[in-house]
Amino acid sequence: MPRTGMLRAGWARRRRTVPGSLTTAATALTAIVALYTVLVAFGNITDFDTNRQFVRHVLAMDTTFRSDHLMWRAITSHALQDLAYLAIIAWEVLTAAVLVTGTVYWLRGPALRQRACRVSTLGLVLFLLLFGMGFIAIGGEWFAMWQSAKWNGLQAAERNFLVAGLALIVVNLPHPQG
């Protein structure tokens, strides 16, 4: 076999991800969450003030029921609110970078499948922590975001949490060798 034919045959063996396979599903789900996270981080960086206002209102609890039993939790310092928002953006950027890396590993073929699974798992857990712990638990419950008609991101957070949870399950199912 000529050298170019051997190279093509080797490339074809290495890139063997069968359409419709579990590996294809893991690749697609990781890529979807990666793309979403990249777009969220990009949006928060390029349109900084829009979501900064969201974070400020949630932390200030200024559109909740204003119960004296809850209002002691409010953070009204703009500096602390902005620090929290910058931490969210940094977490998003880190999560996006890890998920993009996981997607690249999935696309590179079976030889990197274990690494793809580990890196994707890390990225998806980072994502779940952001939306589950950060937005659902802390924002939704601690800062009573669920009480706000205007500044309530719980539906989006829950949707993101469920998609990433599904992706995490698929990524960690046993993938047949081949």
Side-chain angles (χ1 to χ4, degrees):
M1 180 180 290
R3 184 164 162 48
T4 56
M6 287 177 18
L7 288 175
R8 276 192 215 119
W11 176 256
R13 269 194 307 275
R14 198 180 81 185
R15 301 273 299 162
R16 209 172 11 183
T17 298
V18 180
S21 70
L22 188 57
T23 300
T24 302
T27 304
L29 286 167
T30 302
I32 290 165
V33 178
L35 176 62
Y36 178 80
T37 310
V38 166
L39 294 174
V40 167
F42 180 77
N44 284 340
I45 292 167
T46 59
D47 183 18
F48 187 83
D49 196 53
T50 298
N51 281 328
R52 176 172 65 171
Q53 293 306 316
F54 188 94
V55 170
R56 282 183 172 179
H57 285 287
V58 169
L59 295 180
M61 300 173 67
D62 57 1
T63 59
T64 63
F65 300 163
R66 314 241 350 130
S67 165
D68 290 337
H69 299 288
L70 293 178
M71 292 311 294
W72 64 271
R73 300 175 185 176
I75 297 174
T76 56
S77 162
H78 285 311
L80 290 176
Q81 293 168 344
D82 289 350
L83 185 62
Y85 184 45
L86 289 171
I88 290 168
I89 293 171
W91 194 274
E92 291 167 349
V93 169
L94 172 65
T95 303
V98 172
L99 287 168
V100 167
T101 302
T103 301
V104 169
Y105 287 151
W106 283 114
L107 292 171
R108 292 191 60 201
L112 295 175
R113 189 174 291 153
Q114 283 186 333
R115 184 177 294 168
C117 183
R118 282 193 311 270
V119 172
S120 296
T121 296
L122 173 61
L124 291 165
V125 168
L126 289 170
F127 190 92
L128 289 169
L129 286 170
L130 176 65
F131 285 95
M133 185 176 65
F135 298 138
I136 296 171
I138 295 172
E141 286 303 315
W142 185 256
F143 290 106
M145 181 171 57
W146 65 272
Q147 294 179 2
S148 177
K150 184 172 183 181
W151 303 102
N152 185 341
L154 282 175
Q155 272 191 332
E158 290 164 351
R159 181 179 58 243
N160 292 334
F161 188 83
L162 288 174
V163 169
L166 173 66
L168 185 62
I169 291 168
V170 171
V171 161
N172 283 285
L173 289 173
H175 293 258
Q177 297 299 324

